[in-house]
Amino acid sequence: MAGILAWFWNERFWLPHNVTWADLKNTDEATFPQAEDLYLACPLAFCIFMIRLIFERFIARPCAMGLKIQANGPQKAQPNAILEKVFTAITKHPDEKRLEGLSKQLDWDVRTIQRWFRQRRNQEKPSTLARFCESMWRFTFYLYIFTYGVRFLKKTPWLWNTKECWYNYPYQPLTVDIHYYYVLELSFYLSLLFSQFTDIRRKDFLIMFLHHVATISLIVFSYVNNMARVGTLVMCLHDAADVLIEAAKMANYAKCQILCNLLFAMFAILFMSSRLGVYPVWILNTTLFESWEIVGPYPSWWVFNLLLVLLQLLHSFWSYLIVKTACRAISKGKVSHNFRLPQRFCSLFLVSGRRL
């Protein structure tokens, strides 16, 4: 184990030339990011998960009821042991041959069996009430963390001059605000990872699981490597659009279609302007060119920038999906009720804090 850890924390991968981990140990004069700082995120993630349950039960649910959102789920399929066994153990989408076999076995017509499987699949989908509560919780968190990020960053020099992200790197002291920002973001995504195993299992379970793992990995990566300054910029930039998409979802669940359309349009404009405009001009410019000029490349620098470039490609793909959804919505006269950003595999690279 000691050998594995020594290999993983190889200074020549993580740090610039002539810098060692010993140089970044905390002193009386300065505090630097330490991997063990992030241990706090685990118990805090559990606390956030419990806060979410309380919030959804005593705040989001009454709000949903006030908006006439019912708790009724889809119509339940009638109990049938044979079909249930096929559904749980074999397939949720039986082919024509299996449908014919079940029809003979049960003496049901094929259409009735198809309806049973459709109703049974719908049973596993969360109710509109549950979706509304989840979106309200995420909206509340994203609004808080975005507001915090803006209030914190407007006082920092690197918001106005991105070269400040690299001056004196990696000997940039860790402030209480940066530590709080990182730990809170990491705790939130850990709580989302945990909640996947307690919430109703959805068809995008694996995609979302991989997204959360990637997000958590990149938060840790940027913190340990002390790329926290540029990480805070990435987090704040991405949080802005998250607030609007969750608000649009809530309006959709509440059947406020005009408000939903307006919020979706605002989200689409903000998403594409921030991800296709601000992100490459502001973030990629500083991580690729300004950092090369001031610090110079080293192995983890290449990895970090590769992930950021991949993120830009994903931004382009997601923007295409948004435009496609908007065009389809315009042709139908409303925003699709089924729109759900590859919920962050829309954000599949939450770098330094988010979207892997």
Side-chain angles (χ1 to χ4, degrees), residues 51-335:
I51 292 171
R52 172 195 167 181
L53 296 180
I54 295 170
F55 179 91
E56 291 185 359
R57 176 67 180 85
F58 295 103
I59 299 177
R61 189 181 181 90
C63 290
M65 294 299 187
L67 293 170
K68 304 293 191 295
I69 298 175
Q70 301 299 319
N72 298 334
Q75 181 181 356
K76 292 186 177 182
Q78 68 182 81
N80 185 289
I82 294 175
L83 294 181
E84 184 67 27
K85 183 177 181 180
V86 173
F87 183 87
T88 55
I90 302 176
T91 179
K92 297 180 180 180
H93 300 271
D95 56 24
E96 185 176 344
K97 183 177 180 181
R98 190 175 297 279
L99 286 171
E100 291 175 355
L102 291 170
S103 176
K104 294 177 182 178
Q105 184 177 358
L106 297 171
D107 196 23
W108 289 9
D109 61 81
V110 171
R111 187 177 295 275
T112 301
I113 296 175
Q114 288 176 325
R115 186 184 307 114
W116 187 95
F117 274 92
R118 183 171 60 254
Q119 291 175 344
R120 183 64 182 82
R121 287 193 298 270
N122 289 338
Q123 278 181 226
E124 298 199 332
K125 296 179 180 179
S127 66
T128 302
L129 178 63
R131 290 176 185 270
F132 179 90
C133 292
E134 179 185 13
S135 288
M136 188 172 179
W137 161 247
R138 294 192 182 199
F139 168 80
T140 303
F141 177 85
Y142 292 139
L143 181 61
Y144 167 74
I145 201 68
F146 174 68
T147 303
Y148 174 84
V150 170
R151 292 182 62 187
F152 157 60
L153 285 171
K154 71 180 183 180
K155 298 180 292 184
T156 64
W158 59 89
L159 175 65
W160 315 106
N161 178 12
T162 51
K163 288 185 177 181
E164 292 286 345
C165 292
W166 311 108
Y167 289 148
N168 198 38
Y169 177 85
Y171 303 106
Q172 297 165 343
L174 177 69
T175 66
V176 173
D177 290 326
I178 293 178
H179 179 256
Y180 175 77
Y181 202 0
Y182 261 81
V183 170
L184 193 59
E185 288 274 15
L186 178 58
S187 302
F188 178 71
Y189 279 93
L190 282 172
S191 73
L192 292 183
L193 185 67
F194 299 154
S195 66
Q196 275 200 287
F197 297 94
T198 58
D199 291 344
I200 297 174
R201 191 181 180 95
R202 298 179 179 176
K203 61 183 179 181
D204 63 350
F205 174 89
L206 181 58
I207 290 176
M208 290 307 303
F209 179 80
L210 292 175
H211 159 253
H212 296 328
V213 170
T215 298
I216 290 165
S217 299
L218 284 170
I219 292 174
V220 174
F221 179 95
S222 62
Y223 184 85
V224 171
N225 208 25
N226 203 13
M227 291 183 175
R229 289 188 177 184
V230 73
T232 58
L233 298 180
V234 175
M235 288 191 286
C236 191
L237 179 66
H238 286 83
D239 283 331
D242 291 337
V243 175
L244 289 175
I245 190 58
E246 296 301 337
K249 288 180 185 179
M250 289 192 293
N252 185 30
Y253 300 144
K255 298 183 179 179
C256 301
Q257 197 60 52
I258 295 177
L259 179 60
C260 175
N261 292 349
L262 176 62
L263 288 169
F264 177 82
M266 292 170 61
F267 161 76
I269 293 170
L270 180 59
F271 183 94
M272 287 187 283
S273 61
S274 62
R275 311 297 173 89
L276 301 184
V278 177
Y279 179 82
V281 172
W282 193 37
I283 301 297
L284 290 184
N285 178 64
T286 190
T287 60
L288 285 170
F289 303 112
E290 292 178 349
S291 67
W292 181 292
E293 176 186 344
I294 297 170
V295 179
Y298 53 98
S300 67
W301 180 94
W302 289 103
V303 174
F304 187 71
N305 279 288
L306 174 62
L307 294 176
L308 289 173
V309 171
L310 289 176
L311 176 57
Q312 180 59 61
L313 297 177
L314 291 169
H315 286 164
S316 301
F317 174 68
W318 295 325
S319 296
Y320 161 75
L321 293 181
I322 292 171
V323 171
K324 183 178 178 181
T325 299
C327 291
R328 185 171 65 244
I330 292 171
S331 66
K332 292 181 179 180
K334 62 180 182 178
V335 173

